[in-house]
Amino acid sequence: MILSMIFAILIIGDSTHHKETEARLQKIPCSPCYCTTTTDGDIHADCSNKHLHNIPSSLPTNVTHLIMTNNLLTKPDLHRLSHIKHLDLSKNNISSLNDSLKGVVTLLSLNLHGNQLTLEKATYPKGTFKDLEKLEILDISRNVLVTNSLYPDDSFRDLVSLQTLVVDGLENCTFGQGFARLKNLTTLNISGQRGYCSINRLLNESFLHTPHLRNLDISKCKITDIDVGSFLPLRNIDTLDMSENDQLGFKTFGDSMYGLVNSSLRELMLNQITSSFDIGVQIRRTHFRFFTEIHVKELYLDCNRIEYIEDTVLGVLPSVEIISLKNNDLQVGAYLFASDQLVSLRKLYINNPYTTIGPLPGIVVTNGSCVDREHDLNKVFSLYTTTNTDMSTVQRRQRRSSVYGKDETVKRKNVFHINYNGGVNEVELSQLQSKRLSSDPNRISKQHKKDEIHYSMSVTIPIAPNATFVNASHRDIKGIIGNILFGPNKLQTLDLSFNMLTKWVGPVQQAQNLKFLDLSNNFCKSIASTFLEHASGLQILNISANYLAQSVESDTEGEIFMNQHNVETFRISSNLIRHLPSSIFASMGKLKVLDLSWNMMSSWAVNIHQMKHLCMLDLSYNRFETVPVRLRNQIDAIMKERKDKFHIRMKGNNLKCTCDTLDDLWWMLKPYVAIDDASDTICSLSDGTETSLDKLNNLVLDLQERCKTVIPVIFGAATGLILFLSVVVGGVIYRYRWKLRYLYYTTRRKYRGYQRQMGEEEHFIYDAFVSYAEEEKEFVVQDMQNILEKRFGLRLCIHQRDFMVGEPITANVVNAIQSSRKTIILLTPSFLQSSWCEYEVHMAKFESIHSGRDIFCVVWLIDVPDTRRISRDVLDEIEHGTYIKYPADEVDREEFWQKIKIRRTHVRFFAEIHVKEIYLDCNRIEKIEDTVLNVLPSVEVISLKNNHLQLGAYSFATDQLNQIDAIMKERKDKFHIRMKGTNLKCTCDTLGDLEWMLKQYIAIDDASDTKCSLSDGTETSLDKLNNLVLDLQERCKTVIPVIFGAAAGLILFLSVVVGGVIYRYRWKLRYLYYTTRRKYRGYQKQIDEEEHFIYDAFVSYAEEDREFVVQDMQNILEKRFGLRLCIHQRDFMVGEPITANVVNAIQSSRKTIILLTPSFLESSWCEYEVHMAKFESIHSGRDIFCVVWLIDVPDTRRISRDILDEIEHGTYIKYPADEVDREEFWQKIKAAITF
């Protein structure tokens, strides 16, 4: 591992130096290789991956750095390369060196890794490296091993300058007398990680001739035994890596440490030296008995399945500064309360980073190895040497992070560099922004039964007095954090993320030095105001991915975070927060980064004006439609005295880019506002299309052009006037309702005989919708179905049979009425008591008025004792329409059914009367609707003499003007039009027509004799049309803006009145809503949404109902009907948070099936799935619920409001107890899903 760090330094050196070097490189020709030269005279050649059999002759003879890796060399010829310093011949087919290295006296590093060289004296004869006296680094690992061979020390003895040697580990691992001459050899790597190693046993003589070693890597060498004196010669050893020798064990290790007594050992790595299947591994004092005389500073014991440590062990480790116990199975024991004996300890790792259920976003975490290494073969040798590099500093930077104490291989991808104030701050993002990765908490508790530490009482916990860092994440620690007293300590960083600390009460005392606290992903539902009262020194606080919504939303006085005056980074994302009190962050005056992402906020009431240093606000993935005005004003106040940028994230919100939000978009263009991830931040335009904010300037200019208002004051005044007149007209209509109703039926009688038969008769699905009470179900099923359907061949719509499962009942009723030619009312006392029957009558009445059809067919089935209870709509049909009574006599019933059948058809007039000539003279006709002409296709002669037709009394239709424009598009002459003698109007309403007449290709014939009437009643001619248009434009401008103020006041007054009117006519408004929705959804849903569903239905169910889902639903709905179900145990993505999986599943499914049982109501995850489905239904405008009442619920009060709404106002289906009825049940489920 140490060797890898050294090679990494040689590769990249200091990053700044490397970039400067790159800038100085100049390309020179040397095909097929890539060659560059530097200002200091070095020539670099890259010939890798070229399938070359020889070193190209085109290379300059003075090349200094040559890479020939991944070629087909068998015998390299280096004699002409007299200036070569760094040579990489790895991964070729070299099996013999012979005289290849003869004369190469300038070589500093040589890489022969991955060739066919056998590690024996025949391949490396004496004198092989004779001319390489300057060679410092040699890698001959991963070549060919020979059984019972020895290291060819006779050839290695010439490498007097060698500092680093990488070689395979032979079974007889003894470095002979030739190595005694290598006084500079300080790093020896025989690890099986980089090459081959099968040592099995280290002998007393193994390192007898390598006393100068400082770094020794014997990891992954299958070592099972070590002689007691094996390490005795290594007096200068600094780093020893014995990791991944899983048969070594702690007893053998402990005995072998005798040889390192009084040595200079500082870093010891013992990761995974026990078998993966060992149980009950214990660390005993005898294993570390020699450590009182070995002053180790860093000790790594990861992945050893350690369960218990004797408390006396800690007493023999007084010099240790870093202890890593990652990914072990530590149980509660006395050693926890003896940690104060570790007087030198600075950092402690007891986290389990390799046991996460899935990878975090942007992080690669594998379960394959516990050892933190970088063995990238392309980084072993470098062509860019670096001088004056502090080796120890780089080694620690490469090995693990010293900032937050977690593995650098995991953390480096999760450091967010912010340079807002001229400096670089590292803000830890690893688990902070991620959504919950763990599964159902009930399932977790079954998998892990360890660390059930409950801090619900007053507990004193000793801590190493000088420790500054503790990482206990992913430990599955369960319980409540109560009153805790830490011993005297200097602790600054504490990571308890990814545990199950579900309630934080506190207080946690002796925490005044704490600067970093991570409690994310802990399933916590409550945080008390006393919890953080002693942690006033916090600078970074992360409580993301919990359930703290209720606690923080109820903290109106800001008591929870009252003492957090020094916090600079605060993350509270993924907590299901809907709103925050204004004073919640009142004490955080030094805050720089505030993360509120992945919540459910849609408004802003928080005060942040005191945060003078705030430079980053993350509101991504909430429900904002705009940046709230209150927030914008506070940001403006914060940035008033500052010259840097304020970064805000709005990605994943429901942003709107309309005229109403134009001010918000203008604000985003301010010079000190920076919208992060602008290209991924989407907003919706008024026409429904979406656009990103990466070109915000163009978007604002385009919106500004669209939103120009020509006469805004008139619009406001007109709105107020319309509202006022609505009340007046409403009163008049109510006062004369009977007379108006009479006029309505008179007019309808005159016109509907013709109109209704042409347009509407042919597209009905049902002949009649039957509206009846539940008590008359037997009459409908036995009599009406048998006679009207089976005998007469009619098609009835019966709600218990034909309503669509999953659709709201109200929508089902409206759809049924509109899809039926008639609505049959079965009038009985039970009918009058049913609110749903009353609703069906209302909707049928409104459909009759709206469509102009007589749709009622009232059947008086049973006498009603009190006719006063009959609704007004039904009574009108009885009083003014034709109804029929159900006869008591059996003989008269045949006539009754014949009458019902006859009402099915309507009289057809002009559709079957082919009139050729129509004479309508002397009828004072003023206007003919254009739709009338469409129904007279056969008429050849029409006479309209001596009428009052006003051909010009109304403005031209827009399509007529457009047709003329289209005609003249390709022509250069004039279009002549005569309007003389018509009643033209020259007002503000017809200004557009007059402006059209001024077009160059329009000629108004007889303009001087063509008169038009002004708004004041005077007439003028069109001979001076240009002046007339200019005068009208001036008149039509708003001259009395005061009217707007008066109108606004009037609007406020009338709002109350209009609210009452809306409530009075709520049934009609609801009808119009479902009518509109049906009109547009039928098309939009199919085209826009139906094609992109991955699943037909997402099944939301409790764990106890799994058998029903797997055995019944999968077999019938998937295997038999060919549907695709989304079942969380099978289809959820491993590694994704459950919350994200749920949302993705709902959005990717056409329907969401709710299996309602008592167990379902007990599950918090089921409740979450219902919430998310409800939000998707509201957001997308789709009816996605399909409620299946699987098992009766004893107490319906426990059913959530969202499900109760679907039961009360939607259509649900019960799972039948009878086996016979289940086929119909599955057919209904299929129909509901595929609708």
Side-chain angles (χ1 to χ4, degrees), residues 242-410:
M242 303 169 65
S243 302
E244 296 190 87
N245 292 294
D246 56 6
Q247 300 300 317
L248 180 61
F250 281 101
K251 184 181 183 305
T252 304
F253 148 75
D255 296 338
S256 69
M257 289 296 100
Y258 169 77
L260 293 174
V261 171
N262 294 324
S263 69
S264 60
L265 183 65
R266 293 293 179 268
E267 183 175 346
L268 179 59
M269 278 160 278
L270 300 170
N271 302 324
Q272 202 173 348
I273 64 169
T274 62
S275 172
S276 301
F277 303 100
D278 282 353
I279 299 175
V281 177
Q282 299 185 17
I283 301 295
R284 302 186 181 279
R285 180 185 175 89
T286 56
H287 300 157
F288 290 86
R289 62 186 182 278
F290 298 115
F291 274 68
T292 54
E293 301 176 68
I294 304 174
H295 304 292
V296 173
K297 298 292 185 183
E298 300 182 22
L299 179 60
Y300 299 94
L301 300 168
D302 302 341
C303 304
N304 280 301
R305 302 186 63 83
I306 300 171
E307 294 188 10
Y308 182 74
I309 301 174
E310 284 187 357
D311 54 345
T312 55
V313 171
L314 305 184
V316 299
L317 300 173
S319 63
V320 176
E321 298 178 359
I322 297 176
I323 295 180
S324 179
L325 288 162
K326 299 177 186 176
N327 209 38
N328 283 290
D329 298 320
L330 292 171
Q331 305 297 314
V332 178
Y335 65 92
L336 292 176
F337 298 92
S339 59
D340 53 352
Q341 298 179 33
L342 299 169
V343 292
S344 299
L345 187 67
R346 292 186 296 106
K347 296 182 181 180
L348 174 62
Y349 301 85
I350 55 174
N351 54 310
N352 285 350
Y354 304 101
T355 58
T356 53
I357 293 175
L360 297 174
I363 306 176
V364 179
V365 179
T366 65
N367 295 335
S369 175
C370 292
V371 182
D372 181 14
R373 300 174 178 276
E374 282 197 35
H375 286 290
D376 188 345
L377 300 181
N378 295 322
K379 295 183 178 181
V380 174
F381 284 88
S382 168
L383 300 183
Y384 312 105
T385 57
T386 305
T387 58
N388 299 325
T389 303
D390 185 347
M391 185 70 68
S392 61
T393 302
V394 176
Q395 288 174 354
R396 276 150 177 70
R397 183 172 68 238
Q398 289 286 337
R399 187 164 55 253
R400 48 182 54 79
S401 169
S402 62
V403 180
Y404 297 109
K406 295 186 180 181
D407 285 2
E408 184 66 14
T409 52
V410 177

Side-chain angles (χ1 to χ4, degrees), residues 863-1033:
D863 285 338
V864 179
D866 186 4
T867 57
R868 291 176 298 178
R869 299 185 61 188
I870 301 177
S871 69
R872 184 72 264 171
D873 294 324
V874 177
L875 210 56
D876 283 348
E877 287 299 317
I878 293 174
E879 292 175 358
H880 303 100
T882 304
Y883 67 93
I884 183 171
K885 276 195 173 185
Y886 183 74
D889 192 351
E890 189 78 19
V891 179
D892 300 328
R893 291 181 183 171
E894 178 61 25
E895 182 181 1
F896 165 83
W897 293 114
Q898 290 294 338
K899 286 183 179 181
I900 293 292
K901 174 189 174 185
I902 290 172
R903 289 183 64 89
R904 169 181 176 239
T905 58
H906 296 285
V907 180
R908 300 176 182 268
F909 295 98
F910 283 90
E912 301 177 17
I913 304 174
H914 306 290
V915 175
K916 297 295 185 181
E917 299 180 7
I918 296 179
Y919 297 90
L920 299 170
D921 302 339
C922 304
N923 278 304
R924 303 179 64 82
I925 299 172
E926 294 186 0
K927 182 180 178 181
I928 300 175
E929 290 185 0
D930 53 354
T931 55
V932 172
L933 305 179
N934 295 332
V935 298
L936 301 173
S938 63
V939 176
E940 297 177 357
V941 177
I942 298 178
S943 179
L944 291 164
K945 298 176 183 178
N946 294 319
N947 281 291
H948 296 276
L949 290 172
Q950 299 182 12
L951 300 178
Y954 47 91
S955 62
F956 287 107
T958 303
D959 57 345
Q960 293 172 330
L961 301 181
N962 292 339
Q963 290 177 26
I964 295 174
D965 290 339
I967 292 172
M968 300 303 297
K969 190 174 183 180
E970 305 296 333
R971 291 167 49 182
K972 298 182 179 180
D973 56 340
K974 295 281 188 178
F975 186 97
H976 293 262
I977 184 170
R978 294 182 180 178
M979 300 296 294
K980 177 180 177 182
T982 58
N983 298 330
L984 290 178
K985 305 293 184 183
C986 291
T987 63
C988 293
D989 296 335
T990 61
L991 184 58
D993 297 340
L994 299 176
E995 291 174 342
W996 177 81
M997 293 179 186
L998 288 175
K999 290 186 176 181
Q1000 293 181 352
Y1001 53 78
I1002 302 299
I1004 305 299
D1005 292 350
D1006 301 324
S1008 59
D1009 294 327
T1010 303
K1011 306 293 183 182
C1012 72
S1013 301
L1014 302 177
S1015 55
D1016 58 1
T1018 59
E1019 291 186 346
T1020 183
S1021 62
L1022 299 185
D1023 54 346
K1024 297 181 179 180
L1025 182 59
N1026 191 46
N1027 294 337
L1028 176 62
V1029 170
L1030 293 174
D1031 183 54
L1032 271 176
Q1033 288 177 340

Side-chain angles (χ1 to χ4, degrees), residues 1-21:
M1 181 174 73
I2 300 301
L3 179 64
S4 298
M5 299 170 190
I6 296 174
F7 288 161
I9 296 169
L10 291 175
I11 298 165
I12 58 174
D14 182 82
S15 59
T16 306
H17 173 80
H18 182 61
K19 291 179 180 178
E20 292 175 355
T21 304

